[in-house]
Amino acid sequence: MLFNTLGFILFFIVILILYYAPLLGWKGKKIMLLLASYVFYGLWNPPLILLLWISTLVDWTAGNKLYKLSDKARKKLWLLLSICVNLGFLGFFKYGEFLLNNFIDFVSLFGIEYVPPEFDIILPMGISFYTFQTMSYTIDMYRDRIKPAKTFLDFALYVTFFPQLVAGPIVRSGELIPQYYEPKKASQNQFVLGMLLLSIGLFEKTVFADSLFAPVSDRVFGTDGNLPAIDAWAGVLAFSGQIFFDFAGYSLCAIGIALTLGFKLPDNFRYPYGAIGFSDLWGRWHITLSSWLRDYLYIPLGGNRGTLSRTYVNLMLTMLLGGLWHGAGWTFIFWGFLHGFYLIIERLLKDKVSIKSSNILLNVFLAFLTFQCVNITWVFFRAQDFEMAINLLGSMFFINEGKPLLWTSSMVFVFGLMTLVFAGHYAMRNKSLVGVIESSPRWFVTLIWGIMIFGLFIVQTTGKQFIYFQF
């Protein structure tokens, strides 16, 4: 079920009625939320709920064993079981075809023609998100950092809570499970704020991502030929805007929906296109994933505790696996490589170049430079293959020449809007959306809210899938 559909709006209204009507006790409300989450997920493909149930049962059992056992060897076995089950599902459903195709290419180097039986593997929606979420539970339990959930119901709801089940934010158990222990009810201000965040998220997804940026992006990335530089840049900038408003919009919807029920989810975006440098970027883009990779991959690899070269290796490995997390393809891995490369270059320069943080012009320049480097990485993220990515980069940097593809009005619109996006992100670097809403005059917030609702009615929802659902 998609947030940007009439079906979800009706589903959400029913949930709110059942949640706030004096019909159910707290336990009954949690059971209702759990069943609703299964319905929310199962309407897409009912049999794949089995994966959720298996993951839930395995990690609940492993978590309890890890908490009770004192023998380290036996604890490791339970942790390995949890990791193997979760990564096994992820590996089979998400990377099975990718690994098989690479195996075929590899054996063909030796003159062996291998034709595998045909597989029709469906990628379960959101498997990368809930897999990482449940793995963090058992890993933290193994490290003795958390206690197990008090009841199976609390743990099952943690795994499947519908606002963030499919595309995050990736929530740690300590952030969400304790919220289930006491009855939750949104205050009037929380409910209104939640509905406003939901509206902003839907507006970002439906109006900006799907209606304004996607047509330009799809056209440029859907062409086989070379392009003039200005067309190529317009297409890449359009995708840059599309993927931000698509994913940040989803996160805002998730946070807003949870807030209307009285639950708080962590921020996932903090104006990433205003970042100065790539360390700053990863503290602003998909924050819950980058912190997950830091805590469960980068630091266990050694982090920055070893030599400088070892730190660079750890950084690169983390970003390569971060790229692979996003998609089963070499272009995604190369996208991760570019981010790892940028992070290493940034660290090298920081050790040798002193920059005055009070120089506004310099900061704007560095933010703009970071933004353009990010745009280059998006080429590999969005392109179907390396050939397309290289051709598009050739067009962007005047190496290739081609026939114009886009209308002048489209390019003016994309360049103008992305300039505003960059300026807005830079201006909001040290602020939060909720903070700005709460400090703004109520009449102004109401006016903007009304304009967004009007815009949603004018554009109307297309029911287009969120980009990150495929991950």
Side-chain angles (χ1 to χ4, degrees):
M1 193 179 290
L2 303 173
F3 293 158
N4 52 331
T5 58
L6 181 60
F8 175 77
I9 293 172
L10 295 174
F11 168 85
F12 185 43
I13 291 172
V14 172
I15 295 295
L16 287 175
I17 291 172
L18 291 174
Y19 191 76
Y20 284 110
L23 302 172
L24 302 169
W26 180 233
K27 185 177 179 181
K29 288 178 181 179
K30 288 194 290 186
I31 293 173
M32 182 273 294
L33 286 178
L34 180 64
L35 294 176
S37 298
Y38 288 136
V39 171
F40 174 84
Y41 191 80
L43 285 176
W44 169 66
N45 194 321
L48 293 179
I49 291 181
L50 283 172
L51 297 180
L52 266 177
W53 289 345
I54 293 171
S55 184
T56 304
L57 285 171
V58 168
D59 289 319
W60 167 252
T61 306
N64 285 333
K65 291 290 184 184
L66 288 166
Y67 183 68
K68 292 174 182 173
L69 290 172
S70 55
D71 183 79
K72 285 198 171 181
R74 294 182 68 188
K75 288 182 76 170
K76 273 187 181 176
L77 285 176
W78 278 104
L79 178 64
L80 279 174
L81 173 69
S82 167
I83 290 175
C84 287
V85 169
N86 286 298
L87 292 186
F89 284 152
L90 195 61
F92 177 78
F93 286 99
K94 185 165 182 175
Y95 302 108
E97 188 175 349
F98 172 69
L99 293 172
L100 183 61
N101 289 335
N102 278 278
F103 175 76
I104 294 170
D105 292 340
F106 178 74
V107 297
S108 70
L109 296 175
F110 302 95
I112 302 171
E113 186 177 345
Y114 174 65
V115 181
E118 286 194 11
F119 291 102
D120 188 16
I121 302 175
I122 299 174
L123 178 63
M125 194 178 285
I127 189 170
S128 301
F129 290 89
Y130 70 73
T131 296
F132 271 33
Q133 186 156 309
T134 55
M135 279 174 55
S136 71
Y137 177 79
T138 50
I139 294 172
D140 284 346
M141 200 69 73
Y142 176 78
R143 294 171 171 173
D144 295 324
R145 290 182 177 175
I146 58 170
K147 293 182 178 180
K150 288 182 179 178
T151 68
F152 178 75
L153 174 60
D154 293 327
F155 179 73
L157 191 54
Y158 161 67
V159 177
T160 58
F161 189 44
F162 75 89
Q164 47 84 227
L165 168 62
V166 180
I170 300 171
V171 185
R172 308 288 177 86
S173 61
E175 293 173 310
L176 190 53
I177 289 178
Q179 297 189 53
Y180 298 144
Y181 294 159
E182 300 292 337
K184 285 286 179 295
K185 179 182 176 183
S187 65
Q188 185 178 349
N189 285 341
Q190 282 179 324
F191 190 86
V192 172
L193 180 60
M195 295 300 288
L196 177 56
L197 293 179
L198 173 61
S199 304
I200 295 172
L202 288 176
F203 186 81
E204 288 188 353
K205 163 65 177 169
T206 305
V207 177
F208 282 111
D210 290 351
S211 302
L212 299 181
F213 285 121
V216 177
S217 167
D218 291 345
R219 197 158 182 213
V220 168
F221 281 93
T223 185
D224 295 329
N226 295 326
L227 297 169
I230 193 168
D231 291 56
W233 274 104
V236 173
L237 284 171
F239 180 69
S240 185
Q242 181 193 0
I243 193 166
F244 168 74
F245 285 114
D246 188 286
F247 195 21
Y250 177 90
S251 295
L252 276 181
C253 289
I255 293 168
I257 292 165
L259 198 57
T260 62
L261 299 169
F263 298 101
K264 292 181 181 177
L265 298 180
D267 278 348
N268 218 15
F269 288 87
R270 292 185 192 135
Y271 307 100
Y273 291 155
I276 299 175
F278 276 75
S279 299
D280 190 21
L281 175 79
W282 281 102
R284 297 172 179 277
W285 179 276
H286 203 173
I287 298 166
T288 55
L289 173 67
S290 56
S291 62
W292 197 101
L293 292 173
R294 178 199 63 206
D295 294 343
Y296 299 103
L297 188 59
Y298 176 68
I299 291 177
L301 283 171
N304 54 4
R305 298 191 298 275
T307 62
L308 208 53
S309 57
R310 179 65 196 186
T311 299
Y312 296 154
V313 170
N314 295 338
L315 267 177
M316 183 57 78
L317 284 174
T318 302
M319 297 316 298
L320 287 174
L321 289 172
L324 187 62
W325 179 90
H326 281 84
W330 287 105
T331 51
F332 287 104
I333 295 172
F334 191 74
W335 173 82
F337 167 81
L338 281 178
H339 278 275
F341 178 73
Y342 288 149
L343 285 167
I344 290 171
I345 294 296
E346 180 182 299
R347 288 203 173 212
L348 282 169
L349 290 176
K350 274 186 177 177
D351 291 337
K352 297 181 179 179
V353 181
S354 177
I355 297 175
K356 290 184 179 179
S357 59
S358 58
N359 189 324
I360 295 176
L361 285 178
L362 180 59
N363 285 340
V364 171
F365 170 75
L366 292 175
F368 183 73
L369 184 63
T370 305
F371 179 48
Q372 295 311 321
C373 289
V374 171
N375 287 323
I376 290 172
T377 69
W378 287 137
V379 173
F380 292 92
F381 193 95
R382 176 64 174 82
Q384 295 295 317
D385 51 43
F386 280 107
E387 184 180 357
M388 174 185 284
I390 299 299
N391 282 340
L392 191 56
L393 283 172
S395 297
M396 290 166 67
F397 291 100
F398 303 95
I399 297 171
N400 301 329
E401 292 183 1
K403 294 181 180 178
L405 180 71
L406 302 174
W407 292 98
T408 303
S409 57
S410 297
M411 290 187 285
V412 169
F413 164 76
V414 169
F415 283 112
L417 194 51
M418 286 309 293
T419 300
L420 291 176
V421 168
F422 170 74
H425 278 217
Y426 186 83
M428 291 287 289
R429 274 178 50 80
N430 300 317
K431 299 175 183 175
S432 71
L433 176 61
V434 172
V436 170
I437 290 172
E438 289 177 341
S439 62
S440 299
R442 187 163 294 183
W443 67 265
F444 180 72
V445 174
T446 306
L447 175 65
I448 298 297
W449 196 351
I451 291 172
M452 287 191 299
I453 297 294
F454 180 71
L456 287 171
F457 274 111
I458 292 295
V459 173
Q460 296 191 357
T461 178
T462 57
K464 197 171 180 179
Q465 184 169 296
F466 288 84
I467 293 174
Y468 264 68
F469 277 21
Q470 62 187 295
F471 305 139

